Amino acid sequence: MAQCVQSVQEFIQDSFVPMVAVLCSEDAEKVTRKNNLNFSELLRPFCRLTSEGHMRDPSNQLQVVKNLRISVNNVVTRPSVPSSGVPGHAHRRLLSEVVLTCQPAEGGVANVITAGDYDLNISATTPWFEAYRESFLQSMPASDHEFLNHYLACLLVVSSSEAVPVEKFLKLSQEQHRIQHSGEYTNPKWFIPNTLKYYVLLHDMSQGDEQRADSVYEDMKQRYGAQGCYLLKVNSRTAAAGADEQIPDPWSQYLHKSSLQSQVQLGPRLSVPKNNVGGTSEVDGHDSEEKGSLDNTHPLQLDTPSDTPGSLDALRAVAVETKPPPLTTGVAAATSHGACLTLNDHDRIRLFIQEFTFRGLLPHIEKNIRQLNDQLVSRKGLSRSLFSATKKWFGGGKVPEKSIAELKNTSGLLYPPEAPELQIRKMADLCFLVQLYDLAYSCYHTAKKDFLSDQAMLYAAGALEMAAVSAFLQVGAPRPYPAHYMDTAIQTYRDVSKNMVLAERCALLSAEVLKSQAKYSDAATLLIKMTSEDSDLRSALLLEQAAHCFINMRNPMVRKFAFHMILAGHRFSKAGQKRHALRCYCQAMQVYKGKGWSLAEDHINFTIGRQSFTLRQPENAVTAFRHILTNDSQQTSTQQGAFLREYLYVYKNVTGACEVALPQLPLPCINSSATRVYFGHERRLAEGEKQAATHVSLDQEFDRDLAAMWQDLEEQVVAAAKRGVVPATFQSTQCCLNSQTDNLRFPLAVVEEPIIVEVVFRNPLKVPLVLSDLSLLWKFTLKDFNRPQTNKARGCVVYLPGYRP
């Protein structure tokens, strides 16, 4: 796989972070909208903590939490992905937009790899894959079999300009309770029944009464405790103060990601009376992957033309790359963000996130881990032992992990919220989110055994997946990475539960871990197994990463790299990602070029030509098509005809824009060494006589013996004039120029006498070439005889394709 910006540990930690919901009053939203942001967007650039946090595990040991990031989102009550686990059209379109907008930088850093006879110039990084992966993981739906994407806390935000802020807090608190406990909404999902409610008083410094805000905040601390509320002051910047001051905009890089995550949430926003819950309006989603992604055509099959120029029609139809319409929201379309914020406001927001996390969220998580641990210890001592004993008496028992492929998913199996199995899983997820990986692994391992015993395969797969990740992340790596856990989880997600979203997440995590351990072959095998016909975009990205795995092995597998790049380019093309498809084919061409694999070269050049023309690069298209026609082709005559027709169509588009420039045509091939120029008389045809257009040769006009005789006579005349000595500078007149004559001399031609040029053509194709309106390009330069130093007249200079006399 290509190099990534993050380490695998950072990537996994950022994939699973504590989730925090936001309920915001209408007036509070107005305060943040002055900066073209909603409240959750306002916080997003500051959600990674720069200092360490501390908490105690159930054994009262102090643990350090480093580089923690939290995810803050508005409450949306519709699921992002259908319960079937198959991404919807809007979700696919948005992921496609992420990949489409992330293109290789011009003149970017390249990675030159030398393997045997190959010097390959390939992409050092693949930021489009990382952008896809990040967006995919951030938009993962909340599932019932795990709690990692469930909300742990809720920020209740009220403006200090409210007449009675406390009443507004009460309404928001009641609304959050109704959303979580009424049973009316299946989304969002909440981690634990007693969700942490954190009360935020938002004060607008540009127009609010600061003393009143301080007074309200003091009252809030009496009601909710100093650890449960915060006064956040923003909008300190006025129009008169520092108009020329340059304030950084850290929000831009997050807005597209925010747009993806929020727009996937299809459906209307949750409406709160007199409050804005902060959802995002939906957009019409269209699958960017082209129709026909489920066809059965071979990836390397070339287009076969029909009697009608269908291939040309297709080429014309895709002459302009069709891009999905830009996904812009009111926030994304804004030109600037944070215009009312000063650097001090940035520091206040950063401090708020730190205070909320260290004094509110982490203590809340620590408390719940202790409670769950106590419940499990007390309950497991009696009920679980009795439960296991009952199973043993009636023939039940633990299912061996090796028989996982033989198990069938128990349809409709759902554990009640208070089930010990779910409590163990809940405790494991809490420990994982705060980097207690040792304890998390133990809980996942225990839960895995219970789920397998019940044949609850979806739950078992989730426990296996996270147990493997926890084992890898443990400090000092006391346990080897259990790759077979991940393989079993992927198989279960894909084949038993039919949930490709979870299977893809599992594969992305496992591939990164295998890559970090230099197990590139295993990573490539895993990525290739995850390709399927249900998603061309996913398959293209994974095939490309598999190709990078092959080239980064200790002994690089160059041909496998090129072959999988071709497959990736084919799937990119089907997904509508023309630029990425062209890049993949161009990288693969470095391996196939000049190795005698003519059919493979033809396919690659043909595809590069088509993609280049689609992307408005006609010159590159002509160059690629020209390579197909210059050598003796092994294609069938039908395929050669298709190549020629499409080349001529592209060629005419290029020359039509600038008729002055006439590049050399590759067909028919000109035998330059056989070209001859004859200065002499022209045989006059008798009246009514016709001359065939083919098989005409200068041999009919030029007599070699006679020419030699005249040359000898010319030398004798010169010798007689010079008293028997031929001057060393003497050059006899040449009436026929060919590859054996001295063509650096200016030839002499007689005025009014014809000049005959013989050009030998060869047709390397199996299809006939019809040549019409042929003309010889030539130029006559008149010598200035008035200059005294001129004693020799120039003749003519004839320009021929491939020949310069």
Side-chain angles (χ1 to χ4, degrees), residues 159-229:
S159 172
S160 61
S161 62
E162 294 279 357
V164 186
V166 175
E167 291 184 2
K168 188 64 66 173
F169 278 125
L170 178 60
K171 289 182 180 180
L172 290 178
S173 178
Q174 292 172 348
E175 185 61 29
Q176 188 279 328
H177 187 273
R178 183 179 70 85
I179 294 172
Q180 180 175 357
H181 297 288
S182 66
E184 181 179 353
Y185 304 104
T186 57
N187 268 326
K189 297 184 182 298
W190 306 90
F191 205 109
I192 45 186
N194 57 330
T195 299
L196 171 66
K197 297 176 183 177
Y198 198 82
Y199 301 86
V200 182
L201 184 65
L202 190 63
H203 178 64
D204 190 340
M205 296 286 289
S206 63
Q207 62 182 19
D209 185 349
E210 188 172 359
Q211 291 184 352
R212 180 177 182 274
D214 292 336
S215 176
V216 173
Y217 178 57
E218 291 298 325
D219 183 45
M220 289 171 58
K221 288 194 290 186
Q222 296 297 324
R223 288 175 177 269
Y224 311 120
Q227 312 295 329
C229 59

Side-chain angles (χ1 to χ4, degrees), residues 143-455:
S143 176
D144 291 326
H145 81 289
E146 63 181 14
F147 303 91
L148 293 165
N149 286 352
H150 294 199
Y151 285 114
L152 277 163
C154 184
L155 298 177
L156 307 178
V157 187
V158 171
S159 172
S160 61
S161 62
E162 294 279 357
V164 186
V166 175
E167 291 184 2
K168 188 64 66 173
F169 278 125
L170 178 60
K171 289 182 180 180
L172 290 178
S173 178
Q174 292 172 348
E175 185 61 29
Q176 188 279 328
H177 187 273
R178 183 179 70 85
I179 294 172
Q180 180 175 357
H181 297 288
S182 66
E184 181 179 353
Y185 304 104
T186 57
N187 268 326
K189 297 184 182 298
W190 306 90
F191 205 109
I192 45 186
N194 57 330
T195 299
L196 171 66
K197 297 176 183 177
Y198 198 82
Y199 301 86
V200 182
L201 184 65
L202 190 63
H203 178 64
D204 190 340
M205 296 286 289
S206 63
Q207 62 182 19
D209 185 349
E210 188 172 359
Q211 291 184 352
R212 180 177 182 274
D214 292 336
S215 176
V216 173
Y217 178 57
E218 291 298 325
D219 183 45
M220 289 171 58
K221 288 194 290 186
Q222 296 297 324
R223 288 175 177 269
Y224 311 120
Q227 312 295 329
C229 59
Y230 197 87
L231 171 60
L232 178 59
K233 300 177 180 180
V234 295
N235 295 349
S236 302
R237 191 181 188 190
T238 60
D244 298 331
E245 184 182 2
Q246 295 295 329
I247 300 295
D249 179 7
W251 293 276
S252 298
Q253 58 180 319
Y254 294 91
L255 289 184
H256 184 76
K257 302 173 186 178
S258 174
S259 173
L260 171 69
Q261 191 172 5
S262 58
Q263 291 187 50
V264 168
Q265 312 286 342
L266 298 181
R269 296 191 296 179
L270 174 67
S271 59
V272 181
K274 298 183 180 181
N275 297 328
N276 182 8
V277 178
T280 305
S281 58
E282 71 175 73
V283 294
D284 295 331
H286 300 281
D287 193 354
S288 65
E289 300 185 5
E290 296 177 346
K291 299 293 185 182
S293 62
L294 299 180
D295 59 9
N296 295 320
T297 57
H298 193 276
L300 299 183
Q301 178 178 339
L302 295 170
D303 295 337
T304 303
S306 58
D307 295 336
T308 59
S311 59
L312 293 184
D313 293 338
L315 193 62
R316 297 185 186 102
V318 298
V320 179
E321 182 183 14
T322 55
K323 293 184 179 181
L327 300 174
T328 57
T329 61
V331 176
T335 56
S336 63
H337 311 93
C340 299
L341 301 175
T342 64
L343 293 179
N344 288 333
D345 289 332
H346 292 194
D347 294 336
R348 291 191 186 101
I349 298 172
R350 188 177 293 106
L351 181 61
F352 159 66
I353 292 294
Q354 179 172 315
E355 287 291 311
F356 161 70
T357 305
F358 290 162
R359 303 181 64 183
L361 184 60
L362 288 183
H364 178 72
I365 294 176
E366 178 183 337
K367 174 184 175 182
N368 280 276
I369 289 177
R370 287 180 177 274
Q371 290 179 351
L372 287 170
N373 183 69
D374 294 341
Q375 292 175 10
L376 291 173
V377 169
S378 61
R379 184 178 299 180
K380 200 170 184 180
L382 179 61
S383 61
R384 288 298 294 163
S385 60
L386 178 62
F387 179 69
S388 300
T390 304
K391 281 193 173 184
K392 185 176 180 180
W393 292 338
F394 289 95
K398 301 298 182 184
V399 180
E401 294 175 18
K402 295 182 180 180
S403 64
I404 187 71
E406 303 174 1
L407 295 176
K408 295 183 180 180
N409 189 30
T410 306
S411 60
L413 176 60
L414 291 176
Y415 290 99
E418 67 278 1
E421 294 88 350
L422 284 191
Q423 301 305 310
I424 296 176
R425 173 63 200 249
K426 189 174 293 186
M427 180 175 172
D429 287 346
L430 272 178
C431 294
F432 186 89
L433 291 175
V434 291
Q435 305 173 11
L436 303 180
Y437 300 120
D438 292 343
L439 184 56
Y441 174 82
S442 300
C443 293
Y444 285 129
H445 196 271
T446 302
K448 177 254 309 182
K449 294 179 179 179
D450 294 335
F451 292 139
L452 287 177
S453 178
D454 296 336
Q455 296 193 26

Side-chain angles (χ1 to χ4, degrees), residues 661-678:
L662 293 176
Q664 176 183 340
L665 286 171
L667 292 173
C669 297
I670 299 176
N671 187 356
S672 299
S673 61
T675 302
R676 294 187 294 181
V677 180
Y678 177 64

